[in-house]
Amino acid sequence: MEEIKILVIDDERGIREGCRRILESENYQVAVAETGEKGIEVAQTDKFAMALIDLKLPGMDGLAVINELRKIDSEIVPIIITGYGTVETAVEAMKAGAFDFVAKPFTPNEIINVVDKGLIQIKERQEGLELKQEKRERAVDELNSLSIVDEILARYNYNAASLIAILQDIQKQFNYLPQNLLRHVALTMNIPLTRVYSISTFYSAFSLKPRGEHLIDVCLGTACHVRGGMNIMERLERELGIKNGETTYDEKFSLKSVRCVGCCGLAPVVVIDDEFHGKLVQDKVPKILAKY
Amino acid sequence: MKQYRTHCLVCTGTGCVSNHAFDIKTALESEIIKQGLKDEVTVIATGCNGFCERGPVMVVQPENIFYQELKEKDIPFLVEEHFLKGRPVEKMMYVPPKEEAVIPKMSDIEFFKHQLLVVLRNRGRIDPEKIDEYIGYDGYRALGKALTEMKPEQIIEEVKTAGLRGRGGAGFPTGIKWGFCEQAEEDTKYLICNADEGDPGAFMDRSILEADPHAVLEGMVIGAKAIGAQEGFIYVRDEYPLALRRINIAIEQATEYGLLGENILGSGFNFKLNVVRGGGAFVCGEETALIASIEGEVGRPKPRPPYPAQKGLWGKPTNNNNVETWANVPQIILRGGGWFASLGTKESKGTKVFSLVGKVNNTGLVEVPMGTTLRTIVFDIGGGVLKGKKFKAVQSGGPSGGCVPESLIDLPVDFEKLTEAGAIMGSGGLIVMDEDTCMVDVAKYFVEFLEEESCGKCNPCREGLKRLKEVLTLITQGKGEAKHLEMLDDIALLMKEASLCALGATAPNPVLTTLKYFREEYEEHIFQRRCRAKVCKDLIMYRIIAEKCTGCQRCVKACPTEAITGPRSQPHNLEESKCIKCGACYEVCKFDAIAGDAIYIE
Ligand SMILES: Cc1cc2nc3c(=O)[nH]c(=O)nc-3n(C[C@H](O)[C@H](O)[C@H](O)COP(=O)(O)O)c2cc1C
Ligand code: FES
């Protein structure tokens, strides 16, 4: 983990060094300053996650220091140390933008607790940001995919007669037919969503679920059936731990049966992505899977 | 065109491509350059040669030498020996099963000897991606004749004289069908080429499109002229990427050459062709469902009449034919209906392309005159049953077809004879079955297939298939009862009578023919709880025959559950409680092939 740096600003040497000792024993990196002005100087040279600031400092007081620190780094978490453990001063400090406060005199545990709370706040804030970022990316993604779909639709002149070809192209792009895209197709082409769904469920070429990285098609056409295709299928099911029609947990393989790939001379046949594996015996199955 | 001393025709049909034929082609080309032969030897990528079992294959002309099971690493040697030193390489030639001497020439190999190529005449001889090569072998001459010398009625009359019948399954006379559509009084008419090829175990249409796409295009333009259609659609299965690619290239080239599009060959006739990718539904091979699918709808059949010839695609008169039917047309126009009618039998004219697959030695694509016997196809061309096992039946016609037993092996194959036997011609898939094939399981297999593919619109088909499957499953699990045989008959009859389309009406065929010819197998399952083919897992048990086991440990390694144990060179031990009956040991045991079964099932 990246080292967490904390800045302690207090004019009382005992408090400064006490804080340093306590926090360093908890593996934080600590810098100290005896006045607000000096603290601000230090803050300009380094990035601190948190600052412990005495409210009553000579010269610039604690609240003004918080303001200045915020200008340097808006993410810093300020905590006030106060000799007057009163509600009013606490409220005043919080209003000025402090995250929390500790009253003198304090025990090491009190300091550690308040710092921990600050860290949790930092973490949550970051996650929140990530979440927002993710949402934004997803929105961008969605816009992108909609525009890809729009391109496909335009290629077919929004002609409903080409619906099957359109869905085939969409599936080629996205590896399956995502719901939001189907809705988009229906809306843009002005056809009922039910029609789009009935086509996507009727034809076996379509999948409404995401499929794995590699698609395994086991031929169970007649030629492959009489030459033991079912044994190959069962072996694959056992090796992958899934059933016909399912996708492995790690989304690496999707397994499905097909009826004749037109390569019956080489029965039994398995097609993985676009590669044909003919004249198979089940003993070869693990070796073939290992290649992917 | 440049003249070469030697032509290497490398098969690049799907079968050979999946065996890395393109790597072989690249290796050949670079080796030929390396050895300074590039002005003497040329490499041509052709469509399916037919002998898929031995892929990747290559034919060297003019000597007619057939090389098979080629490996990239052997290419330098081959180029040096054969093309530089003039010594064909025996090591890569064909040896018939159970024989030792090689057969160098393609024309001497049994697999090719009995075939007669009309539809597949260009297979393995032209590069399907180059229109000039098609034209070099009389391509588009028939179109020229049809557009400039013949009236539409004459074209139709010629096709009627030929006696050509639809190759897509039902065998309806093509000339008569064209006549219906020609007479429909509408300005807009459409043509369709049905390349959905839904029958599992069949790949004729795919191979035709891959090997000679222009033959199909030429046939369609001639048909369009005869019927008066302005636009056509080729509906291709999405699982056929190579065929799709080649048909698109062919359309592009034909358009460029003025053989498609506006004012074809300066005759003032226009015809536009579109390619539609299917979505993977068996029922879409049925023409009314196919039409719905081209319209972008769910592919469900519609009741007929009205027939497509009156109201088809977008309500307009439409004529649909199968790929092979279309591919026959140019030859009929060029060589005359009389010539075509001289081939085949009384009711079935011409040739038929079959995909010969299953438990047979020489699997591949076969074209023979109608009326050729099953024996010739399976034993002469096909080289008999795999591993010297006993022949049991041939399944013909896909899921709507039936199983023809050994007693009918001398049956001449044509539309009538197959129907009499309870099977159908279908699109031409022939699946050979041997003693290891359980006929109850086969019936269950087709019923399951159709249950998945039934569109669900009509009750008899949807429910009938469900019930058939339930009953057959009970029988294969050893829970069969005497009354089940009667139930199968009842359900089958009802489905035949009451289904909306041919899918449901023919669906009981596999059940009915197996019941008719292999009733004793059903009875054994029901009354003795026994599966003689050792397929039905609930009725079998694996065991090692100590006397035959040499202790080679192959099965020990293959067993996924560690049920088989034992030190090397001692008969192994199979622990029944751990055995999941997956058959992995049976597949790998060498001594099954040599000395019967070391591991056998009872
Ligand atoms: C369930 C079902 C599936 C069919 N599948 C195909 C097929 O895959 N290819 C085909 O050409 N015809 C198929 N047909 C037959 C077509 O409906 C149609 O009869 C045929 O394409 C007409 O062409 P043809 O006269 O040249 O044979 C199928 C019929 C049914 C009932
Ligand atoms: S049956 Fe498997 S490839 Fe045709």
Side-chain angles (χ1 to χ4, degrees), chain B residues 54-67:
Chain B
R54 297 292 178 133
V57 305
M58 163 172 91
V59 181
V60 179
Q61 297 292 19
E63 301 107 300
N64 201 234
I65 303 286
F66 181 79
Y67 287 120

Side-chain angles (χ1 to χ4, degrees), chain A:
Chain A
M1 204 174 102
E2 201 190 328
E3 282 214 314
I4 294 170
K5 292 182 187 155
I6 299 174
L7 175 61
V8 181
I9 308 174
D10 201 313
D11 55 338
E12 266 181 69
R13 187 164 185 275
I15 301 267
R16 275 199 318 265
E17 292 308 318
C19 282
R20 186 209 287 276
R21 229 183 22 251
I22 297 166
L23 292 172
E24 276 180 349
S25 72
E26 293 289 312
N27 287 327
Y28 297 110
Q29 241 190 41
V30 182
V32 293
E34 65 263 27
T35 63
E37 289 80 359
K38 282 205 178 132
I40 289 163
E41 248 168 66
V42 176
Q44 269 160 342
T45 58
D46 211 341
K47 173 146 176 97
F48 293 93
M50 232 177 281
L52 300 180
I53 307 150
D54 189 9
L55 192 62
K56 274 251 177 285
L57 286 166
M60 226 177 164
D61 82 346
L63 297 183
V65 173
I66 290 181
N67 269 333
E68 284 307 307
L69 286 179
R70 276 266 158 102
K71 280 186 204 151
I72 298 166
D73 177 0
S74 64
E75 283 177 17
I76 197 162
V77 176
I79 294 167
I80 286 292
I81 307 172
T82 165
Y84 321 90
T86 61
V87 180
E88 296 92 88
T89 46
V91 170
E92 205 184 328
M94 304 292 267
K95 268 193 191 150
F99 166 70
D100 209 344
F101 70 96
V102 273
K104 284 192 262 191
F106 44 74
T107 63
N109 264 343
E110 279 173 314
I111 282 285
I112 291 168
N113 277 343
V114 79
V115 166
D116 277 353
K117 261 206 276 177
L119 282 180
I120 290 171
Q121 148 87 7
I122 291 172
K123 219 169 130 213
E124 277 177 357
R125 201 167 55 198
Q126 270 170 1
E127 274 172 5
L129 272 181
E130 271 165 28
L131 213 70
K132 260 193 222 142
Q133 179 71 12
E134 213 174 89
K135 257 195 196 152
R136 206 174 309 133
E137 274 169 21
R138 233 183 297 153
V140 172
D141 259 7
E142 169 144 357
L143 277 178
N144 273 341
S145 25
L146 292 186
S147 77
I148 292 174
V149 171
D150 282 337
E151 257 167 53
I152 295 174
L153 293 178
R155 205 155 64 227
Y156 289 96
N157 256 330
Y158 305 91
N159 185 351
S162 306
L163 191 51
I164 298 170
I166 289 170
L167 296 179
Q168 273 164 341
D169 285 3
I170 294 178
Q171 174 154 306
K172 200 163 268 166
Q173 271 288 334
F174 298 93
N175 150 19
Y176 74 111
L177 295 177
Q179 267 190 26
N180 60 332
L181 300 188
L182 292 184
R183 228 172 289 129
H184 183 67
V185 167
L187 263 167
T188 318
M189 292 180 66
N190 200 14
I191 50 180
L193 186 58
T194 47
R195 174 156 170 213
V196 179
Y197 266 101
S198 72
I199 300 261
S200 7
T201 51
F202 181 84
Y203 293 102
S204 63
F206 298 123
S207 170
L208 293 175
K209 279 188 283 182
R211 297 180 299 172
E213 190 188 336
H214 301 290
L215 308 179
I216 308 181
D217 288 346
V218 183
C219 179
L220 294 180
T222 323
C224 291
H225 178 77
V226 301
R227 282 203 189 180
M230 202 55 216
N231 285 339
I232 306 282
M233 172 58 103
E234 284 172 9
R235 181 60 174 258
L236 276 163
E237 287 181 339
R238 281 199 306 275
E239 292 288 331
L240 296 171
I242 50 173
K243 290 275 166 223
N244 182 0
E246 295 178 350
T247 298
T248 51
Y249 191 65
D250 61 2
E251 298 196 341
K252 187 151 181 211
F253 294 106
S254 286
L255 182 66
K256 103 175 183 309
S257 63
V258 292
R259 303 294 189 171
C260 193
V261 291
C263 221
C264 327
L266 305 177
V269 181
V270 169
V271 187
I272 305 185
D273 300 330
D274 279 326
E275 201 180 338
F276 285 71
H277 301 272
K279 295 192 179 175
L280 271 185
V281 290
Q282 40 171 315
D283 202 28
K284 280 200 211 152
V285 166
K287 229 178 278 161
I288 290 176
L289 285 181
K291 280 204 289 185
Y292 291 88

Side-chain angles (χ1 to χ4, degrees), chain B residues 552-599:
Chain B
C552 74
Q553 290 209 309
R554 275 175 72 96
C555 59
V556 176
K557 288 202 196 81
C559 178
T561 59
E562 296 175 355
I564 307 180
T565 50
R568 183 166 284 284
S569 310
Q570 276 175 37
H572 297 323
N573 182 40
L574 190 156
E575 199 174 318
E576 209 194 311
S577 63
K578 283 191 187 164
C579 177
I580 55 170
K581 302 179 188 177
C582 70
C585 51
Y586 188 72
E587 281 174 8
V588 297
C589 181
K590 288 238 177 200
F591 304 96
D592 158 49
I594 304 164
D597 341 321
I599 296 165

